[in-house]
Amino acid sequence: MADTEDAATATTSGRSVPDGYKVLTEGKGSILQKGNDVFYNPAQAINRDISIAVLRYFVKQRQLEEQNGTAAKSRTRVKGAVMANTVIDADKVDGIKILEGLAASGLRSIRYALEVEGTGRVDANDLDSDAVEAMKRNVQFNGAEAEQRMRPLQGDARVVMLQSPLAYDAVDLDPYGSPTQLLDGAVQAVAEGGLLLVTATDMAVLCGNNGEACWGKYGSYPLHRPYCHEMALRILLAAIEGHANRYKRHIVPMMSLSVDFYVRVFVRIYTSPAAVKDAGSKLMYVYQSQGCDSFYTQKVGRKIQKNNGVKYMPGVGPAVPQQCPETGANFLMGGPFWADPIHNMDWVNGILESVKANKQQYPACNKVISHLTAVSEELVDVPLYFSLHDVCKTVKCTPPKADVLRSALINAGYRVSSTHANPLGVKTDAPFSAVWDIIRCWVQDHPVKGHDADSYAGKLLAKEPELKANFSRAQGAASNAKANKVARFLPNPEANWGPKPKHGRPVKAQATSDVTLITSDGDVAANRATDGSHTANGTVTHAAQ
């Protein structure tokens, strides 16, 4: 995802590279690196590309709001609402102001400054003094434009944000692990209607392997089930909302992504004490059967329209009987987590079209397009999903093709879609009683070996289906992307594609001539080179990075 450039090549291009350093180039940004002195992960090129695409779209939306006056009205309402006895950063800049709280090498901030049109200033902060020195070196290396638009800072990101209430149009937090300690300051530093971009990489915590840790960090109990990656997104959104609510603010998710080994959310933040009252009705619990894949959701609170007023009430429950109606098993209870839509489809489609029209501006364009295409086809009002293979595994039957199951659901009068978080995931508004009836009909047509009558599979298949499934091909069963042969789930471009060691930790020795060529299609080919050169259709990244 990044080009490598040796000292000789860089010097001839007008840039002097210190001895012992190599140049890594991604998009319009370049950084100098020696070993693992400053953290850099090429896998996060997808993260950075998507963030740039979102910021570009945000700038355009911000400009439209300024033109029609809605942004100005919002800022008037928020004046003085967040923190008392504080001074907002009074620097006037032409364009949006961005804060990257944990900037490391500064590559992300450099790309923001050089690639996001309409950026006035990017404050790139890091607590580590070595990282800040490397950042300053990289800013200077990228020339006058980067130096004019970037301001490297050294400090605790929490303090920087708390000292800058409402100061930034966009705040980006991409920590090594959990972002929860940063959220309280972040929701205060974002300007009215501004954008907060947050990454969480502690997936073992968010996906239920360490549920007690998730409760301590995020205030939610996760369940380790097939839908855990979407649940992780919703837990993170609920945590951000909770921090925002303390300051009479609330979030509006624009896009939420589960990518590789992390989750990434993009939310706008507004101030409205009235909207904060809706917070309880935006959260839910999930009841998961321990005997099958059935799950049921229940809102934490209710918003009731009564005459000309609104009344807020606790949620009505429980949403399930004492035991699972399909298997008689007990339930696990997870949550609370975000219940409302996690995407704004106008934004998703607008960003997707923008990336398609400007592929050359995104080093990881194919991966970006695949993720955004998958997101664009989701049912936004259906929380969570089930895995087709897991459902069939429960009754030990051969799974039908996804289009066959989707056809049966559509023919029964329900909506259905895929999910970007799992290639085998199925989102539908059908109740699980209908889903299991369809599976029972499938098993009747494709018999399986007998099951113990007391087993969960035996209990599921012993029931006669009330719904007679129609497996004939239904319009809309195949996704538009599949019909148009647009890839949605591309393979990783190289082995060991995932988290990298924190900076300062030693990395395995690698011959300087070993590089990996990553083609524009995401293919990988080994190559032996000494000059870091690359082909016209591929970029070069050192395998050690």
Side-chain angles (χ1 to χ4, degrees), residues 150-208:
M150 280 190 63
R151 184 172 71 169
L153 304 174
Q154 181 179 355
D156 188 320
R158 294 168 295 182
V159 176
V160 172
M161 291 185 291
L162 287 172
Q163 291 177 337
S164 310
L166 303 176
Y168 294 100
D169 297 284
V171 172
D172 191 325
L173 301 175
D174 190 6
Y176 196 97
S178 172
T180 50
Q181 294 184 349
L182 305 166
L183 296 180
D184 204 71
V187 298
Q188 299 175 69
V190 177
E192 179 68 4
L195 189 68
L196 178 60
L197 309 85
V198 182
T199 300
T201 62
D202 54 336
M203 296 305 290
V205 172
L206 284 166
C207 289

Side-chain angles (χ1 to χ4, degrees), residues 282-298:
K282 296 178 183 178
L283 301 177
M284 65 169 45
Y285 295 101
V286 62
Y287 293 89
Q288 172 66 56
S289 170
Q290 290 184 278
C292 65
D293 301 86
S294 303
F295 62 83
Y296 308 85
T297 58
Q298 175 186 318

